[in-house]
Amino acid sequence: MRVLVVGSGGREHAIAWKLAQSPSLTALHAAPGNPGIAAVAECHPVRAEDPESMLGLARSLEVDLVVVGPEVPLVLGLADALRRFGFLVFGPSAAAARIEGSKAFAKDVMDAAGVPCPARLALARPPCVVKADGLAAGKGVFVCRTQAEVDEALRALRALGGDVVVEELLDGPEVSLFAVCDGSRAVPLVSAQDFKRAYDGDEGPNTGGMGAYAPVPGVGPGDCASLVSAVHEPVLAELARRGSPFVGLLYAGLMLTADGPRVLEFNCRFGDPETQAILPLLDVDLVQLLAAAGRGDLGQVGAPPAHGSAVTVVLAGEHYPAQGDRGSGITGVADAEALGALVFHAGTALHGERLVTNGGRVLAVTGTGPTIGDARSLAYAAAERIEFPGVRYRTDVAAAPAAGLTFSVVAGE
Ligand code: AMP
Ligand code: GLY
């Protein structure tokens, strides 16, 4: 199959890297891609947010499958435009992508589907969580324990514009659970945990994600299957009932509270950087899996087995998340790879032959191994080899992986 990957981040590099291993692949293209993706795919300078040009590219390349990485083009209707012209697409329609594009819509869907999520509050009074309703690249959520924090959150969200959602503040470990969906069926991938805060010890502002590991101890294949029945499948049924079936990757951000799992958010695409930890563990032909989902044909497909553990550390620019970094020279990538780590490019560019920074999250370094400890040692040994001015990363990713979480899922709770 001829496949086009849309996007240019670390997630898309991991997706392209995994697709490239598929025996069913005959050609791999990416748009716009990045210097890391260029090692496994032919990159084309078309912006992900320009649906008309992307459609033109897909037609000229005569691709058999388009995999859309980021949320923005999905919310803008890229998958709809491609499907109208007969392309097989892995990624939801704009109507189904609202599950990520609007927190208020997601809550309506969950209420109708009987999926447990934090209660909505009428007033922003501490303790509470204040969120931007629309897309905010992981930066629109404020956990508020004091009135001063509420005031600051409302100020920041006013600056972003758009509606605000207030909900109860919950407590518990978080798990990211991805499921490949074909409109009615959901196939879970291995569980992962994301490190969203900017600094060690979960301090500082929320970011797109500073690191991840998989699998989460205590959240094994059986738990993933129960969670998918309690969370993803009812949401798929409700979206289908509303006439907007979800075809693509449905990502549930879960909190495992003392009262059971609660959905903090849905994303309509692979998570970044969890994808960089999850995909290296999977024993799967990713082209076949995503194409089957696109065709609505996951009936005979089971959850792909995952082997070993992975830890991903994000190397960010000095001022991320406030600001990205551009044009600083990067060294040491080949040394990191020589240790056996995978180095996924997130925000990089080439100035001539020189690899330079080009964004907030610059690289995602993944170590794999039999245990999380082995994977972690490799990821950090590799991360230390890489340098650019101001490089910054969390040193506590997977330092204390959730020790055998215990929780219970009651389907249809
Ligand atoms: P979200 O983008 O909605 O997943 O929120 C980002 C992060 O904010 C989550 O990963 C949690 O750490 C935190 N968060 C969001 N909602 C809540 C909540 N209701 N209670 C506690 N923490 C939350
Ligand atoms: N890692 C969180 C996200 O992709 O939204």
Side-chain angles (χ1 to χ4, degrees):
M1 290 184 85
R2 301 169 59 79
V3 183
L4 169 63
V5 177
V6 174
S8 63
R11 160 186 52 211
E12 288 78 21
H13 187 184
I15 292 170
W17 170 83
K18 192 71 178 180
L19 291 170
Q21 295 165 25
S22 163
S24 20
L25 188 80
T26 53
L28 186 57
H29 296 275
N34 68 33
I37 295 173
V40 292
E42 188 181 335
C43 294
H44 304 268
V46 173
R47 286 176 46 242
E49 297 79 11
D50 177 357
E52 224 158 274
S53 306
M54 199 58 78
L55 182 60
L57 180 69
R59 296 177 82 176
S60 71
L61 296 172
E62 298 180 349
V63 293
D64 305 303
L65 171 68
V66 183
V67 179
V68 184
E71 61 276 20
V72 172
L74 291 166
V75 169
L76 292 176
L78 176 60
D80 307 78
L82 288 161
R83 285 198 182 98
R84 267 199 298 276
F85 278 84
F87 286 102
L88 185 61
V89 184
F90 185 76
S93 64
R98 283 186 74 205
I99 198 78
E100 171 167 3
S102 164
K103 302 245 186 220
F105 174 78
K107 279 199 172 294
D108 281 345
V109 170
M110 282 190 271
D111 287 347
V115 171
C117 58
R120 254 183 282 198
L121 304 178
L123 285 179
R125 217 186 277 140
C128 67
V129 180
V130 186
K131 302 181 174 185
D133 181 49
L135 295 181
K139 296 161 205 161
V141 175
F142 296 83
V143 174
C144 306
R145 291 197 168 78
T146 64
Q147 188 59 45
E149 284 172 341
V150 170
D151 294 343
E152 176 53 33
L154 292 175
R155 236 192 324 273
L157 289 174
R158 253 195 303 274
L160 274 178
D163 290 341
V164 166
V165 171
V166 185
E167 59 185 39
E168 67 175 319
L169 174 60
L170 298 176
D171 194 29
E174 290 182 48
V175 173
S176 304
L177 185 58
F178 295 5
V180 172
C181 301
D182 70 353
S184 59
R185 284 164 290 232
V187 171
L189 304 185
V190 61
S191 59
Q193 206 162 47
D194 180 20
F195 289 70
K196 285 204 166 78
R197 298 298 192 100
Y199 310 121
D200 282 8
D202 285 334
E203 299 286 340
N206 267 319
T207 70
M210 295 296 293
Y213 69 87
V216 182
V219 188
D223 305 299
C224 293
S226 323
L227 286 166
V228 156
S229 316
V231 170
H232 297 68
E233 284 169 4
V235 163
L236 290 184
E238 175 61 19
L239 287 173
R241 196 187 64 74
R242 293 178 182 217
S244 40
F246 187 101
V247 175
L249 195 293
L250 184 59
Y251 160 149
L254 301 167
M255 186 168 266
L256 305 179
T257 75
D259 300 323
R262 298 285 180 270
V263 178
L264 299 185
E265 66 165 345
F266 279 114
N267 293 318
C268 67
R269 35 81 194 169
F270 282 95
D272 191 338
E274 294 98 316
T275 301
Q276 294 91 308
I278 287 175
L279 292 185
L281 301 181
L282 298 185
D283 184 1
V284 72
D285 180 332
L286 194 62
V287 172
Q288 289 298 340
L289 179 65
L290 303 188
R295 282 194 299 267
D297 194 16
L298 286 176
Q300 304 302 316
V301 180
H307 303 293
S309 299
V311 172
T312 299
V313 178
V314 168
L315 276 50
E318 188 176 0
H319 302 293
Y320 179 74
Q323 208 178 300
D325 192 89
R326 294 219 163 15
S328 308
I330 303 170
T331 58
V333 171
D335 290 349
E337 288 171 338
L339 291 178
L342 298 162
V343 180
F344 295 113
H345 291 230
T348 69
L350 281 176
H351 280 180
E353 300 272 283
R354 211 167 137 252
L355 187 68
V356 298
T357 58
N358 187 35
R361 294 189 289 178
V362 176
L363 296 164
V365 179
T366 298
T368 55
T371 67
I372 289 178
D374 299 321
R376 182 171 196 274
S377 303
L378 176 54
Y380 277 107
E384 277 169 24
R385 302 292 169 104
I386 299 177
E387 288 187 23
F388 55 85
V391 56
R392 193 177 68 68
Y393 52 88
R394 280 186 62 162
T395 64
D396 61 349
V397 175
L405 297 176
T406 48
F407 65 97
S408 59
V409 183
V410 182
E413 194 177 26

